[in-house]
């Protein structure tokens, strides 16, 4: 199958999603957004599209003009109802492409902490995350796009997860990142961590405590979603 991931920074890769695809015999091809040409037709026509995270806001189009054609391509992609997964910035790009507001949150959420699943979330592929810490790392919130169903929330972020039909899943949080990949995040996001006063050792300790359960539940979610959309 033709599986494509839009990657905004090298260390925020698809992780467990790529592993689950490989177990099914599929290779995930990365498009390095901003540093290589954006092939809209490849994005629109892929059998599966994964839109990954990054430390920018979807509204920063003046500073990062590549966001404009990326949003246009995602908008066209969503109209096809082909399987699309958005993670963190990726979820925000999906929401914004459909006309929903994305703006700075009242506070940054960084670290391992639980979600509150809605009734719909408990009936969805996210059910394994009930009572499980996930990795949060975002400073923006999104409004639900038209036609979306809320699946999860936190006190700071009312729309942590949403689905659109059976084809699109948006997650503000990270279940794709195993603890073994966390060190690259601590290096890559050192300036952000310094601004909010979070020590890398705090996140390492959280990962040591919660990471194994996060990975186990994350794999179950990813496998269930891929099973539902790749037929």
């Amino acid at each position: 199958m033709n599986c494509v991931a839009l990657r905004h920074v090298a260390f925020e890769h698809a992780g467990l999603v790529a592993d689950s695809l490989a177990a099914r015999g599929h290779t995930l091809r990365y498009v390095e957004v901003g540093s290589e040409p954006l092939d809209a037709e490849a994005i629109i026509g892929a059998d599966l599209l994964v839109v990954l995270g990054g430390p920018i806001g979807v509204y920063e189009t003046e500073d990062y003009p590549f966001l404009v054609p990326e949003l246009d391509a995602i908008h066209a992609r969503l109209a096809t109802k082909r399987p699309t997964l958005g993670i963190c910035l990726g979820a925000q790009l999906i929401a914004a492409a459909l006309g929903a507001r994305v703006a700075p949150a009242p506070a940054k959420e960084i670290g391992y902490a639980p979600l509150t699943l809605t009734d719909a979330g408990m009936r969805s592929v996210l059910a394994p995350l009930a009572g499980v810490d996930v990795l949060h790392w975002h400073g923006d919130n999104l409004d639900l796009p038209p036609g979306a169903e809320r699946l999860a929330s936190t006190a700071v972020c009312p729309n942590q997860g949403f689905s659109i039909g059976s084809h699109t899943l948006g997650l503000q949080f990270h279940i794709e990142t195993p603890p073994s990949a966390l060190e690259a995040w601590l290096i890559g996001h050192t300036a952000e961590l310094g601004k909010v006063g979070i020590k890398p050792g705090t996140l390492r300790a959280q990962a040591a405590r919660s990471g194994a359960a996060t990975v186990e539940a994350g794999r179950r979610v990813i496998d269930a979603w891929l099973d539902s959309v790749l037929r």
Side-chain angles (χ1 to χ4, degrees), residues 152-179:
S153 65
T154 59
V156 173
C157 180
N159 299 313
Q160 279 278 3
F162 65 87
S163 61
I164 303 173
S166 59
H167 53 86
T168 297
L169 182 65
L171 308 176
Q172 281 271 64
F173 52 91
H174 298 271
I175 53 172
E176 82 288 0
T177 305

Side-chain angles (χ1 to χ4, degrees), residues 174-231:
H174 298 271
I175 53 172
E176 82 288 0
T177 305
S180 59
L182 183 64
E183 201 64 30
W185 287 52
L186 300 180
I187 297 167
H189 290 308
T190 182
E192 183 178 25
L193 291 176
K195 287 181 180 178
V196 296
I198 296 176
K199 293 290 188 181
T202 299
L203 295 176
R204 291 191 191 101
Q206 291 177 358
R209 182 179 66 249
S210 302
T214 303
V215 167
E216 180 182 357
R219 286 192 192 280
R220 291 174 62 193
V221 170
I222 292 164
D223 284 341
W225 187 74
L226 290 177
D227 286 344
S228 74
V229 297
L230 299 184
R231 298 172 179 171

Side-chain angles (χ1 to χ4, degrees), residues 49-76:
L49 178 69
V50 182
V51 190
L52 295 168
I56 58 176
V58 300
Y59 43 80
E60 296 182 293
T61 53
E62 183 175 344
D63 291 333
Y64 303 100
F66 62 78
L67 287 168
V68 175
E70 184 178 16
L71 284 163
D72 289 344
I74 291 171
H75 180 268

Side-chain angles (χ1 to χ4, degrees), residues 78-145:
L78 294 170
T80 71
K81 298 186 178 181
R82 293 189 175 100
T84 303
L85 172 64
I87 299 173
C88 200
L89 173 62
Q92 296 160 13
L93 285 163
I94 289 172
L98 294 174
R101 177 176 176 267
V102 179
K108 287 183 179 288
E109 282 188 299
I110 298 177
Y112 286 80
L115 301 160
T116 298
L117 297 182
T118 65
D119 290 343
M122 289 298 298
R123 296 190 301 269
S124 77
V125 296
L126 299 191
L129 300 179
V132 177
D133 289 348
V134 297
L135 177 60
H136 301 272
W137 206 306
H138 69 101
D140 287 344
N141 279 355
L142 58 86
D143 290 346
L144 281 180

